[in-house]
Amino acid sequence: QVRLVESGGGLVQTGDSLTLSCATSGLSSSDAAVAWFRQGPGKERGFVASIRWRSGGTYYADSVKGRFTISRDNAQNMAYLRMDRLQAEDTAVYYCAAGAGLLDTLPQLYEYWGQGTQVTVSS
């Protein structure tokens, strides 16, 4: 059974950085992708970035490429999302997900989800 628990959200200012964490269990023998999605107020849940659990290959949405960095620590069973130069439009609940392929950007393709963590960027 895969379990995901996000943490690290909060209130920040425009231009600040923030790192989200996703504690995982049940992924050690998997090469599935772990991804971050976000859902802003009144918006659908959208893909942010993904990483292949074993090999470390990454994939990013165009809107965050160059500002966000996804990584993982296999030994600690942790995934991270480093967010730099945050903007007001990055305000959303951020979710960690697992179970699909690296290039899968549709939330319905991911089997496992965390509860989400709120990120609010104040201008």
Side-chain angles (χ1 to χ4, degrees):
Q1 181 70 21
V2 175
R3 186 166 180 260
L4 308 169
V5 180
E6 304 95 333
S7 61
L11 173 63
V12 297
Q13 303 276 340
T14 299
D16 283 353
S17 297
L18 193 65
T19 297
L20 305 181
S21 300
C22 176
T24 77
S25 60
L27 286 176
S28 59
S29 61
S30 169
D31 200 28
V34 172
W36 288 93
F37 284 79
R38 64 186 180 184
Q39 188 164 14
K43 298 180 180 179
E44 294 186 350
R45 193 170 297 190
F47 173 82
V48 176
S50 59
I51 187 165
R52 195 177 294 279
W53 191 247
R54 277 217 300 262
S55 66
T58 58
Y59 185 63
Y60 293 92
D62 288 342
S63 59
V64 305
K65 204 173 292 183
R67 294 192 301 124
F68 290 11
T69 304
I70 190 171
S71 62
R72 92 276 189 248
D73 183 333
N74 298 78
Q76 299 295 324
N77 294 315
M78 296 292 295
Y80 303 97
L81 184 69
R82 163 87 179 186
M83 304 183 291
D84 294 319
R85 304 194 304 279
L86 282 162
Q87 305 163 5
E89 50 265 39
D90 296 316
T91 294
V93 177
Y94 283 73
Y95 297 90
C96 183
L102 180 67
L103 302 182
D104 288 328
T105 61
L106 297 176
Q108 56 263 41
L109 297 178
Y110 286 79
E111 186 174 359
Y112 306 102
W113 291 86
Q115 82 288 351
T117 186
Q118 176 71 48
V119 173
T120 303
V121 184
S122 175
S123 57

